Amino acid sequence: MLISLGLLSDAYIFHRYINTTSVWRWLWWLPMIVIVGFFVKFLFFNSGWAEEYGTTNIFLLIMVLCCIPKMIFSLFDLIIPKVGTYIGLFLALGVVYIVLYGVTYGFSQIKVRHVTYESENVPHAFDGYRIAQFSDLHIGSFYGPYKHLLKETVDTLNSLNADLICFVGDIENFIPDELSPHKEELASLHAKDGVMTIMGNHDYSSYVKVTERERAEMVRNTRAMQRSFGWDLLENEHRVIHRGNDSIYVVGEENWGKPPFPQYGDLNKALNGVDTSLFSIMLSHDPTAWKMHILPLFRPNITLSGHTHGTQFSIFGWSPSSMVYKEWGGTYYDGDKNAANPCMLHVSTGIGGNFPFRFGMPREIVLITIKHKKKMK
C-alpha cells in the first residue's frame, strides 16, 4: 500500500511540477524503481526479515523517506489550493527530520527512570531494595552503527548497582541466532541477586516462516542462550529471595497477551507454593495481562511489563500507544497509590525495537526502590 501510494504521489508531482522536456526528467522515477526492485527481491527471493535484517532496514528507511513526505505534500497540494503547497512542503520536511533524527540521535539516547514504591508489605530487611528493570531488547537491532549502544546499555545497568535485574521479554526480533554475537556482553550483566528474565512474544520465533518443528528448536535455543548468559529464566515459576529471616517472591510467567499475541502464561502453575500474602514482584511481558489475567487471580505488589515500546514515538508528551493500550508506559496503580499495600504496574518503554528508530521516546532503564511503609496508628 505504501509503495502504491508513493507511486501515485510521484505521478502527481511529475505531471504537475516536472514540466521540462529533457530526457533527464525520467530520473524522477529512479528512487521508486529501486524501491520496487528491493520489494520484489525481499518478497520472492528472501525467506524473511531475519536473514538480511540490516539490508531490510535500509530498504525500509529509503521507502519511508521516499514515499511518506511526497504523499503528504501531494495530498495538501491537491486539496488546498496555493497555501496547501507550503503546508505540505513544511509537513513533508518535518517527516524527513523526524525520521533522520529518530534513526540517529533519537535511537542513541538512553535514560534511567527512577521509581519509588512504598508498602507496609515490604519486609524490613528489604527496605531500600533496588530493582533494575529493562525490556524489549530486540537485540537484532544492535548491528553496525548501533552495536556500541548495547555495551552502553549493559554498562548503565551495571553502574546502578541494583540488588536485582529483571528483563521482561523480547530479547530477540526474529531468531535466536541474533543473540550469539552478543553473548559476552549480556553475560557481563550482574546484580547481587542475579538477572531474572521471562519470554516475550518475539521470543517464540513466531514471525518467521518455518516448520513447527524448526520453530520449537528455535525456542529451545532462545531459552538455552538466555541461561548461558547466567540469567535465571522463569517459565511459569517463581523464586524466593532471602534477606535474613525475611523474604520476597519473584513470579515470572511466559507471554500472555490479547490475540493475536500468544497466551502461554500459566499463572496457577507459577503461583504454586507462593504465599500470596507476602511481598511479590510479578514479571509479565504484556501489560494487558495485568488487569485481564493477573489481578483476577492475585494482587502482586509490583508487576513489571514492557511490550509497547511507547511506539518509539512521542510528540508533546503524546504517544500513539495511548490509543491501543490503557497502560502503555510508566507507573499505574489499581486502587489508591497511597494505600497500605498498593498494587503497582510499571510498563517500560524498552531498549530496542524492530526498527532502530526513536523520537521523543528514548531507550529506557527503570530503577525501582522499594521501601517499608510504617503502619498508620
Side-chain angles (χ1 to χ4, degrees):
M1 183 180 293
L2 184 61
I3 290 175
S4 298
L5 291 173
L7 287 168
L8 286 173
S9 301
D10 267 5
Y12 173 80
I13 296 171
F14 182 82
H15 288 291
R16 181 169 173 80
Y17 290 103
I18 303 179
N19 299 315
T20 178
T21 58
S22 170
V23 69
W24 294 104
R25 72 186 187 279
W26 298 107
L27 288 176
W28 171 256
W29 294 97
L30 184 60
M32 286 305 297
I33 291 171
V34 172
I35 287 172
V36 171
F38 266 98
F39 178 73
V40 171
K41 176 182 182 296
F42 282 108
L43 193 62
F44 295 105
F45 300 100
N46 290 80
S47 56
W49 278 41
E51 285 71 15
E52 295 188 37
Y53 184 76
T55 306
T56 307
N57 275 346
I58 293 172
F59 161 65
L60 289 175
L61 176 62
I62 293 172
M63 184 171 67
V64 168
L65 286 174
C66 283
C67 294
I68 295 180
K70 287 185 287 189
M71 287 162 48
I72 292 173
F73 172 79
S74 300
L75 181 65
F76 279 89
D77 187 68
L78 178 65
I79 294 177
I80 308 174
K82 294 183 180 180
V83 69
T85 302
Y86 299 101
I87 296 174
L89 182 61
F90 174 78
L91 293 176
L93 291 174
V95 169
V96 172
Y97 168 76
I98 287 172
V99 172
L100 293 179
Y101 177 94
V103 299
T104 54
Y105 183 72
F107 193 70
S108 69
Q109 290 180 296
I110 189 168
K111 71 173 183 180
V112 177
R113 181 195 296 269
H114 293 267
V115 176
T116 300
Y117 172 87
E118 294 185 278
S119 169
E120 294 177 4
N121 216 21
V122 174
H124 287 282
F126 285 86
D127 187 25
Y129 192 84
R130 305 201 305 167
I131 306 149
Q133 174 196 9
F134 72 116
S135 73
D136 298 278
L137 197 54
H138 291 277
I139 202 164
S141 302
F142 293 93
Y143 65 92
Y146 305 112
K147 190 174 181 180
H148 70 284
L149 298 177
L150 180 61
K151 184 179 186 307
E152 177 186 327
T153 301
V154 171
D155 289 345
T156 302
L157 279 161
N158 286 335
S159 71
L160 297 176
N161 295 315
D163 295 285
L164 175 68
I165 295 176
C166 293
F167 176 71
V168 290
D170 276 6
I171 194 169
E172 66 191 35
N173 281 325
F174 302 105
I175 56 177
D177 289 351
E178 300 170 22
L179 303 174
S180 300
H182 308 287
K183 180 176 180 179
E184 185 177 345
E185 287 167 319
L186 295 178
S188 69
L189 270 179
H190 58 81
K192 185 180 297 183
D193 293 315
V195 180
M196 295 192 187
T197 178
I198 55 172
M199 300 281 279
N201 56 292
H202 276 262
D203 301 327
Y204 298 97
S205 298
S206 302
Y207 305 103
V208 289
K209 294 180 180 179
V210 294
T211 66
E212 287 307 307
R213 183 176 180 179
E214 290 171 326
R215 196 182 319 281
E217 180 62 24
M218 287 180 172
V219 175
R220 282 194 292 270
N221 289 340
T222 297
R223 299 183 197 276
M225 284 293 293
Q226 292 192 65
R227 292 192 172 101
S228 75
F229 305 151
W231 296 10
D232 188 0
L233 178 62
L234 304 184
E235 302 177 80
N236 295 321
E237 51 194 336
H238 66 271
R239 300 288 183 264
V240 185
I241 299 175
H242 299 281
R243 288 286 187 274
N245 294 324
D246 289 333
S247 59
I248 63 174
Y249 288 98
V250 180
V251 183
E253 69 168 355
E254 297 201 48
N255 192 84
W256 192 99
K258 292 168 63 176
F261 298 112
Q263 296 184 345
Y264 299 126
D266 186 339
L267 203 49
N268 287 315
K269 180 182 177 183
L271 291 173
N272 186 27
V274 173
D275 183 346
T276 55
S277 68
L278 299 182
F279 187 89
S280 59
I281 301 166
M282 181 79 213
L283 310 184
S284 184
H285 176 68
D286 192 320
T288 59
W290 187 50
K291 286 188 176 179
M292 295 180 64
H293 171 66
I294 297 170
L295 294 186
L297 287 177
F298 92 120
R299 295 178 63 81
N301 293 92
I302 296 174
T303 299
L304 303 180
S305 297
H307 183 61
T308 72
H309 304 195
T311 57
Q312 297 169 221
F313 178 85
S314 173
I315 187 164
F316 303 122
W318 177 83
S319 168
S321 281
S322 62
M323 301 172 66
V324 181
Y325 298 95
K326 289 183 178 180
E327 297 87 21
W328 61 268
T331 303
Y332 304 87
Y333 290 88
D334 184 59
D336 185 2
K337 65 177 292 185
N338 297 313
N341 295 302
C343 186
M344 184 187 90
L345 166 71
H346 191 278
V347 183
S348 169
T349 51
I351 291 291
N354 293 325
F355 188 82
F357 165 91
R358 283 183 178 259
F359 186 90
M361 190 66 64
R363 297 180 301 121
E364 177 184 80
I365 293 170
V366 185
L367 185 63
I368 301 172
T369 303
I370 62 175
K371 294 187 176 182
H372 176 78
K373 180 189 290 186
K374 294 181 178 179
K375 291 184 179 181
M376 299 293 291
K377 295 181 180 181

